[in-house]
Amino acid sequence: MANFKLGVEVVGAHDLIPKDGQGSSSTYVELLFDGQKFRTTIKDKDLSPIWNEQFYFNISDPSKLPNLTLDACIYHYNRSTSSKSFLGKVRLTGTSFVPYSDAVVLHYPLEKKNLLSRIKGELGLKVFVTDDPSIKSSIPLPPMESVTDLDHSSQDQDQTPVSLTNTILNTISRKKRHTFHNLPNSKQAQKQQPSPGPAVQPSVNFGMHEMKSGQPASKFVHSFAGSSSPVDFALKETSPFLGGGQVIGGRVIRGNRPASTYDLVEQMHYLFVRVVKARDLPSKDVTGSLDPYVEVKVGNYKGSTKHFEKKQNPEWNEVFAFARENLQSSVLEVVVKDKDMVLDEVVGSVKLDLHEIPTRVPPDSPLAPEWYRIENKNGEKKNGELMLAVWYGTQADEAFPDAWHSDAISPSGTSSASYSQIRSKVYHSPRLWYVRVRVIEAQDLLLSDKSRILDAYVKVQIGNQILKTKPVQSRTMNPRLSVEDRVGPNKDESIGKVVIPLSTVEKRADDRFIRSGWHNLEKSMSSAMEGVEQGKKKEKDKFFSRLHLTICLDGGYHVLDESTYYSSDLRPTAKQLWKKSIGVLELGILNVDGLQPTKTREGKGTSDTYCVAKYGHKWVRTRTIIDSLSPKYNEQYTWEVYDPATVLTVGVFDNGQINTSNGGNKDLRIGKVRIRISTLETGRVYTHSYPLLMLHPSGVKKTGELHLAIRFSCTSMVNMMHLYFKPHLPKMHYVRPLNIVEQEKLRHQAVNIVAARLGRAEPPLRKEVVEYMSDTDSHLWSMRRSKANFFRLMSVFQGLLSVGKWMGEVSRWKHPVTTVLVHILYLMLVCFPELILPTIFLYMFVIGMWNWRFRARHPPHMNTRISQADAVTADELDEEFDTFPTTKSPDIVRWRYDRLRSVAGRIQSVVGDMATQGERIHALLSWRDPRATTMFMVMCLVAALVLYVTPFQMIILLAGFYLMRHPKLRNKTPAAPVNFFRRLPALTDSMM
């Protein structure tokens, strides 16, 4: 049995409240976990004590670990009265119990015992789980009643009085002998999610830092925001028959159907054939055995196992799945063949009647295989035996994911691709860290030419990420920054190199101070690498140039690897900061209809498509359907949701690796769908057909329709509501924020790291897929996007413009009855100002209730009208699809540059006009225009006297009635205050 322990390192506390009456406290920490209690030593007269003590608790039942809590309470101990006073506590739940490799020191704010407690300060803890058999449970210190002066005398010598066991454990932890295994979790087991692969080291991001649906009934759903797309581009709500029953109005009507794991997809029935092994196969000749393989045939479809050389008792253990709706025969034929260079010879076959094959429904145990005698072409059963298991099942069968399915076989019956290229898989992207490097100074640098002025800078590199500091010139050998020296234009000379293994870099999850250190510079990279391998054991008398650095792994940030507008995960890197999930997102990828051909095969247009879905760290890829313009996937996946303000992305791609060996072709984009979790009602099943829209150089095109079933289930509505008032990003983004330029650079590098890692899987998730799903090109210039954003901005202010227009109609008495009613309402609000705010909020409540009748009944989707894709010109499309840097001719580039200057000129004029109005306000009191300032000051003096003797309500009442006066009382020229303001000077006179 695994020896699981919970390790707790009490680092220190700071800014505690004094309790001894002399402005200080004698503090210690008491730890409670699963009925076990330990305490630290006492630190006398210290409001910022440092303990650095480790404790290990026994974990009696690892399956209960997520439900256990760790309490760390700080007390002040009064030695004269042997009493203790509460200074604060920290309570940690299961989300903080992570493996040692993920554990970092965190400073937690102290919590109160009750509302009247006066508490302040923070406590630094490092909490982790380990199963190292050499670690034993900690020995508790004596109870507080028997505390002697030993603690006090030991502390005077700056030593931590820990037991012998704790000393040994500290030594073990320094050697990093901790390991961690996945703990059993009953909740996760019930979800039946695909199990993740083996644990990997985190990549580091560098920076500074059963019924067919047929044709389901459907209806068109109009788009949002008053800008509907053309009907052909709109969503269609469907009512398909899924595994749980028919979906009507967002609810699954089960009838007598039992609950199913695959209740969001249509049941697809398959004929499964497991070819296990063979025995006593005949010899090919006197000297050798067969080179056997098995061919499974149903009608025109057939699949083959791998072949063995010179083997009479081969073992294959391969599974074939044939779609039942495509079966064109009532006989299953399993043929054993001998592999030959010229013509494969038939050894014998086994024929089975498909009407006699049983049906297996999970969770029934797998069907036991049977031995079948092999018949030769004469009907003689003398050619050995073949072990087979044959049954009918659905895609819920556990054999389905690893089976060779008929979708991978062309209608002609031949295999079109390697199975590794087309099978469905689940991928997990790596947890990325930010590496923060602070270059402080360098010492004792040696130059080849000492007479030349040093022009030095530091170049830092991780993988293909390179950053440089600014150069520093110095006549001494102690510049502030240096690794390389610029000896001439475009010519740099290396002064020294140092390699720092990231495994030795300290991790942090907050903005605590990290100690700096000196690093010796080597003359070559090989010497630097040799120093790392040898643990940097160097001669003491050897002279080194040195570099002063501060370096750490920042885990308190969320590493952005996708567009900030479509983030699917907002959690920080450090697992200790993760909160509990608020719900579960289930996605059923049903089918794609109306695909446009992407390639030609056997004289006809076809496609080999698969779908990719991304949410959080989990990527899923469906199997590739060969030679089909209406592929049916019916695969279901599940994700845990930690924040409703996140986006699920589903993309459709054409597999370009079919019938290719070098993998040089790119997988073509067909389209994608984005669904924001916060727009989904809890518990409702959304079944819509989403149009796949792609922007091509010839305009926007519909490439097909993706049919999805989506359900978001919430585990705690209170927690989800509470999350709406929490910061959007982790705390470090606000404590030590990254600027926009840094974020974009780091996001680009993060996408490259994720693409490289997923590209090493089998089958690989190719780079073009990762980049398309992550919207890497969203920051590039596009005239279409610029116009779309402008009209979005106008739409935002449309409400204010409508109010202003309505007020203008009221003041012009266009509708006299309305104007009179507005006068009465205005008079009432001025006389009773306490009714203003209640009236405003009541009005917004009524408007919200009125809009509830017109609320969206479907997730939002890409809108061609809002995107300005239906009004874009051919040249604008050509510019948007141009590469960066451009490949167009100079004449085209010059024309586009002139157009861009024209657009930018209008923006410049608008910005300048806004600045002019602000400068005129400043000119009122700046004496830039002495006469205008004098008149304004006299007006201010008169206004002050009038407002002093006149009730404020009267002033407001008269001003409102003046603005709403009848047109007969108005002058057609602008009012005097407007004329006065327009005559004020601005800084435009000083501009060149």
Side-chain angles (χ1 to χ4, degrees):
M1 181 178 177
N3 183 33
F4 287 113
K5 295 286 188 297
L6 179 70
V8 181
E9 181 179 342
V10 183
V11 179
H14 62 87
D15 200 21
L16 302 177
I17 62 174
K19 281 288 186 178
D20 62 355
Q22 300 177 2
S24 187
S25 293
S26 299
T27 56
Y28 70 95
V29 179
E30 193 172 84
L31 303 173
L32 295 93
F33 175 79
D34 197 17
Q36 306 165 67
K37 181 189 295 186
F38 299 119
R39 71 168 179 86
T40 66
T41 55
I42 302 174
K43 298 293 183 180
D44 286 335
K45 306 294 184 180
D46 195 347
L47 295 180
S48 297
I50 302 296
W51 287 282
N52 287 325
E53 300 179 21
Q54 281 189 340
F55 303 89
Y56 290 89
F57 296 87
N58 287 320
I59 300 177
S60 57
D61 188 357
S63 64
K64 297 181 180 179
L65 184 61
N67 300 321
L68 297 177
T69 58
L70 170 68
D71 290 329
C73 303
I74 303 183
Y75 294 98
H76 158 68
Y77 183 69
N78 191 329
R79 295 180 183 271
S80 60
T81 62
S82 296
S83 61
K84 62 181 182 180
S85 302
F86 181 77
L87 298 181
K89 71 173 183 178
V90 171
R91 170 165 288 188
L92 303 181
T93 59
T95 56
S96 299
F97 307 151
V98 297
Y100 182 80
S101 59
D102 290 324
V104 293
V105 178
L106 284 176
H107 289 82
Y108 301 92
L110 296 175
E111 302 176 3
K112 298 180 179 181
K113 181 180 291 187
N114 52 60
L115 293 176
L116 300 180
S117 300
R118 179 174 171 266
I119 299 299
K120 70 173 183 176
E122 294 182 341
L123 175 61
L125 299 174
K126 184 177 182 180
V127 184
F128 54 89
V129 179
T130 180
D131 65 348
D132 194 328
S134 62
I135 295 180
K136 305 300 180 183
S137 174
S138 299
I139 301 176
L141 290 175
M144 296 305 301
E145 291 78 6
S146 59
V147 172
T148 64
D149 293 336
L150 178 62
D151 288 345
H152 185 69
S153 61
S154 299
Q155 293 171 21
D156 291 340
Q157 300 174 7
D158 282 336
Q159 293 178 354
T160 304
V162 295
S163 63
L164 179 61
T165 302
N166 285 338
T167 304
I168 296 175
L169 295 178
N170 284 331
T171 305
I172 293 174
S173 68
R174 284 195 297 268
K175 292 181 179 180
K176 296 186 178 180
R177 294 175 59 187
H178 301 276
T179 58
F180 180 81
H181 295 283
N182 290 329
L183 300 179
N185 190 333
S186 58
K187 294 182 179 179
Q188 292 181 358
Q190 292 173 0
K191 294 178 183 178
Q192 299 181 3
Q193 295 185 7
S195 60
V200 294
Q201 292 293 331
S203 289
V204 178
N205 186 23
F206 173 75
M208 257 198 78
H209 4 85
E210 173 121 43
M211 292 180 69
K212 299 179 183 177
S213 62
Q215 295 294 333
S218 64
K219 58 181 179 181
F220 289 102
V221 181
H222 294 291
S223 300
F224 56 95
S227 299
S228 61
S229 291
V231 174
D232 193 37
F233 294 164
L235 269 70
K236 299 176 184 178
E237 187 174 3
T238 62
S239 300
F241 289 92
L242 304 181
Q246 186 177 10
V247 178
I248 300 178
R251 305 297 173 188
V252 179
I253 310 301
R254 298 185 183 276
N256 295 327
R257 291 174 175 267
S260 171
T261 304
Y262 288 78
D263 60 344
L264 291 185
V265 293
E266 299 178 12
Q267 286 189 352
M268 301 181 67
H269 293 269
Y270 286 87
L271 170 66
F272 290 94
V273 181
R274 181 186 296 275
V275 181
V276 184
K277 56 185 176 179
R279 66 184 179 186
D280 302 333
L281 295 178
S283 300
K284 181 165 50 176
D285 50 40
V286 178
T287 59
S289 302
L290 294 172
D291 297 340
Y293 71 95
V294 174
E295 188 177 82
V296 183
K297 300 172 60 178
V298 182
N300 291 334
Y301 292 91
K302 61 182 177 180
S304 301
T305 67
K306 59 185 177 181
H307 81 278
F308 293 95
E309 294 184 0
K310 311 298 182 181
K311 200 166 185 179
Q312 286 183 288
N313 299 311
E315 185 172 344
W316 296 280
N317 199 25
E318 296 185 24
V319 182
F320 298 85
F322 297 89
R324 193 169 183 176
E325 63 179 7
N326 294 331
L327 298 182
Q328 301 172 350
S329 175
S330 61
V331 177
L332 166 66
E333 187 175 4
V334 183
V335 184
V336 181
K337 291 187 175 183
D338 176 29
K339 191 72 174 179
D340 189 80
M341 296 293 294
V342 180
L343 183 64
D344 296 349
E345 182 180 353
V346 176
V347 177
S349 64
V350 175
K351 297 182 180 180
L352 299 176
D353 189 350
L354 296 183
H355 299 292
E356 301 297 329
I357 294 176
T359 300
R360 175 181 176 260
V361 179
D364 291 351
S365 298
L367 195 67
E370 301 178 28
W371 286 105
Y372 295 86
R373 290 193 174 276
I374 301 175
E375 296 181 356
N376 58 20
K377 57 183 179 180
N378 298 324
E380 299 173 345
K381 298 183 178 181
K382 297 180 180 180
N383 288 13
E385 293 179 304
L386 185 63
M387 181 178 281
L388 302 173
V390 185
W391 72 96
Y392 284 116
T394 65
Q395 73 268 39
D397 199 296
E398 60 269 16
F400 181 77
D402 295 324
W404 181 283
H405 49 82
S406 59
D407 296 329
I409 303 173
S410 65
S412 61
T414 59
S415 174
S416 298
S418 171
Y419 183 57
S420 62
Q421 300 173 356
I422 59 177
R423 67 192 308 174
S424 59
K425 280 295 178 181
V426 175
Y427 308 82
H428 282 269
S429 59
R431 272 193 305 131
L432 303 179
W433 296 71
Y434 283 142
V435 180
R436 186 182 296 272
V437 180
R438 179 171 174 242
V439 183
I440 303 174
E441 58 180 326
Q443 287 185 355
D444 304 326
L445 299 182
L446 298 177
L447 295 180
S448 57
D449 184 5
K450 296 184 178 180
S451 62
R452 186 176 50 81
I453 297 177
L454 182 67
D455 189 7
Y457 66 92
V458 175
K459 181 173 70 174
V460 189
Q461 179 175 359
I462 294 182
N464 61 348
Q465 305 175 62
I466 300 177
L467 294 178
K468 298 180 181 180
T469 66
K470 61 182 180 181
V472 174
Q473 295 185 357
S474 176
R475 292 185 179 273
T476 68
M477 291 300 102
N478 294 307
R480 301 283 303 173
L481 301 167
S482 175
V483 169
E484 297 195 1
D485 181 27
R486 182 163 295 162
V487 298
N490 300 322
K491 185 178 181 181
D492 298 336
E493 181 182 81
S494 176
I495 299 176
K497 298 179 183 295
V498 60
V499 176
I500 304 174
L502 290 176
S503 58
T504 64
V505 175
E506 187 176 356
K507 299 177 181 178
R508 71 174 183 179
D510 48 20
D511 60 338
R512 63 185 174 88
F513 176 75
I514 299 295
R515 294 182 179 273
S516 60
W518 289 94
H519 300 268
N520 297 330
L521 296 178
E522 298 283 356
K523 294 300 294 181
S524 65
M525 183 60 68
S526 59
S527 299
M529 293 299 296
E530 182 181 355
V532 173
E533 295 173 357
Q534 297 178 357
K536 296 186 178 181
K537 295 180 180 179
K538 300 294 182 180
E539 299 177 5
K540 294 183 179 180
D541 57 347
K542 187 175 181 179
F543 177 79
F544 284 102
S545 299
R546 301 194 303 170
L547 189 63
H548 197 189
L549 300 173
T550 299
I551 181 171
C552 69
L553 285 167
D554 269 334
Y557 292 94
H558 167 67
V559 178
L560 299 169
D561 60 344
E562 52 196 344
S563 175
T564 54
Y565 301 110
Y566 316 121
S567 293
S568 62
D569 190 13
L570 300 172
R571 293 173 295 172
T573 299
K575 282 188 175 182
Q576 286 176 283
L577 300 176
W578 290 6
K579 304 299 182 182
K580 290 185 177 180
S581 64
I582 62 170
V584 174
L585 176 66
E586 299 168 277
L587 171 67
I589 304 177
L590 304 180
N591 55 66
V592 179
D593 291 327
L595 281 174
Q596 299 295 321
T598 57
K599 60 186 69 172
T600 301
R601 185 179 294 138
E602 297 181 359
K604 66 174 184 177
T606 187
S607 290
D608 309 319
T609 57
Y610 64 91
C611 299
V612 174
K614 178 192 184 302
Y615 186 76
H617 290 169
K618 180 179 175 181
W619 297 63
V620 300
R621 169 180 174 158
T622 67
R623 66 193 188 279
T624 300
I625 308 297
I626 306 295
D627 279 335
S628 178
L629 297 179
S630 297
K632 293 184 178 181
Y633 303 98
N634 287 302
E635 299 184 19
Q636 184 170 338
Y637 301 94
T638 305
W639 289 268
E640 287 187 331
V641 177
Y642 294 88
D643 196 310
T646 47
V647 177
L648 166 71
T649 305
V650 185
V652 183
F653 301 87
D654 178 80
N655 196 328
Q657 317 313 312
I658 306 299
N659 292 334
T660 61
S661 57
N662 55 7
N665 296 337
K666 288 188 175 182
D667 291 355
L668 298 180
R669 308 169 179 179
I670 295 180
K672 63 183 174 183
V673 173
R674 301 191 198 100
I675 299 168
R676 188 169 292 273
I677 309 303
S678 59
T679 62
L680 303 178
E681 297 180 15
T682 303
R684 179 179 174 181
V685 178
Y686 290 84
T687 54
H688 291 85
S689 185
Y690 296 82
L692 298 174
L693 306 177
M694 283 294 295
L695 196 64
H696 294 273
S698 58
V700 63
K701 291 184 178 181
K702 178 181 176 181
T703 57
E705 291 187 356
L706 176 62
H707 196 187
L708 301 176
I710 306 167
R711 177 172 57 207
F712 171 54
S713 303
C714 178
T715 55
S716 175
M717 184 61 69
V718 175
N719 290 343
M720 186 171 67
M721 294 298 185
H722 180 65
L723 201 59
Y724 274 87
F725 301 95
K726 290 290 184 179
H728 193 62
L729 291 169
K731 182 179 178 181
M732 278 293 289
H733 285 270
Y734 307 100
V735 174
R736 187 171 291 187
L738 302 171
N739 60 50
I740 300 299
V741 177
E742 285 180 325
Q743 288 183 13
E744 283 300 322
K745 289 182 178 179
L746 293 173
R747 189 172 81 89
H748 176 70
Q749 298 297 339
V751 173
N752 289 338
I753 293 175
V754 173
R757 177 65 64 87
L758 299 182
R760 294 170 58 88
E762 184 62 34
L765 205 59
R766 299 176 62 84
K767 183 178 181 180
E768 58 268 19
V769 175
V770 176
E771 291 179 345
Y772 182 56
M773 298 289 287
S774 302
D775 288 287
T776 55
D777 58 350
S778 59
H779 65 286
L780 298 179
W781 160 259
S782 167
M783 181 69 74
R784 176 189 59 84
R785 288 198 189 102
S786 300
K787 291 192 297 183
N789 289 331
F790 172 78
F791 287 113
R792 286 174 58 203
L793 190 63
M794 293 298 295
S795 178
V796 169
F797 291 103
Q798 190 64 40
L800 295 177
L801 296 177
S802 299
V803 172
K805 181 180 179 181
W806 177 78
M807 287 298 300
E809 293 177 351
V810 169
S811 62
R812 292 193 301 270
W813 291 70
K814 187 174 183 179
H815 304 287
V817 177
T818 302
T819 304
V820 172
L821 292 177
V822 170
H823 277 73
I824 297 174
L825 178 62
Y826 182 74
L827 179 62
M828 181 182 65
L829 293 179
V830 171
C831 296
F832 304 96
E834 63 273 11
L835 297 179
I836 296 177
L837 289 179
T839 302
I840 293 175
F841 286 107
L842 182 62
Y843 178 76
M844 289 191 293
F845 173 79
V846 173
I847 293 298
M849 291 301 297
W850 177 264
N851 290 339
W852 181 82
R853 301 169 55 207
F854 311 102
R855 69 189 185 279
R857 306 299 177 92
H858 62 93
H861 185 52
M862 296 179 184
N863 191 291
T864 57
R865 190 70 48 81
I866 293 178
S867 304
Q868 293 293 307
D870 56 348
V872 64
T873 64
D875 183 73
E876 292 173 352
L877 286 172
D878 184 63
E879 180 182 18
E880 184 169 348
F881 282 92
D882 192 9
T883 58
F884 187 85
T886 183
T887 57
K888 299 298 180 181
S889 64
D891 292 338
I892 296 179
V893 174
R894 185 183 301 110
W895 184 86
R896 289 177 179 173
Y897 175 66
D898 292 340
R899 182 181 62 184
L900 184 60
R901 291 176 59 191
S902 176
V903 174
R906 296 178 213 156
I907 299 175
Q908 172 185 290
S909 300
V910 173
V911 174
D913 188 61
M914 295 173 62
T916 297
Q917 308 310 319
E919 291 165 356
R920 286 173 176 171
I921 295 176
H922 290 168
L924 289 172
L925 296 174
S926 67
W927 294 93
R928 184 74 180 262
D929 185 339
R931 288 165 297 277
T933 302
T934 301
M935 288 186 288
F936 181 72
M937 292 176 61
V938 172
M939 183 192 68
C940 290
L941 181 61
V942 173
L945 296 176
V946 172
L947 293 175
Y948 181 77
V949 300
T950 307
F952 182 71
Q953 291 175 325
M954 182 62 67
I955 299 296
I956 297 299
L957 193 64
L958 292 177
F961 283 167
Y962 175 78
L963 293 176
M964 293 185 293
R965 66 192 185 276
H966 198 274
K968 291 183 178 180
L969 303 177
R970 295 177 180 273
N971 197 340
K972 294 184 179 181
T973 59
V978 176
N979 296 329
F980 178 80
F981 182 78
R982 289 177 177 175
R983 292 179 180 273
L984 292 173
L987 297 182
T988 51
D989 303 334
S990 303
M991 292 187 63
M992 298 181 65

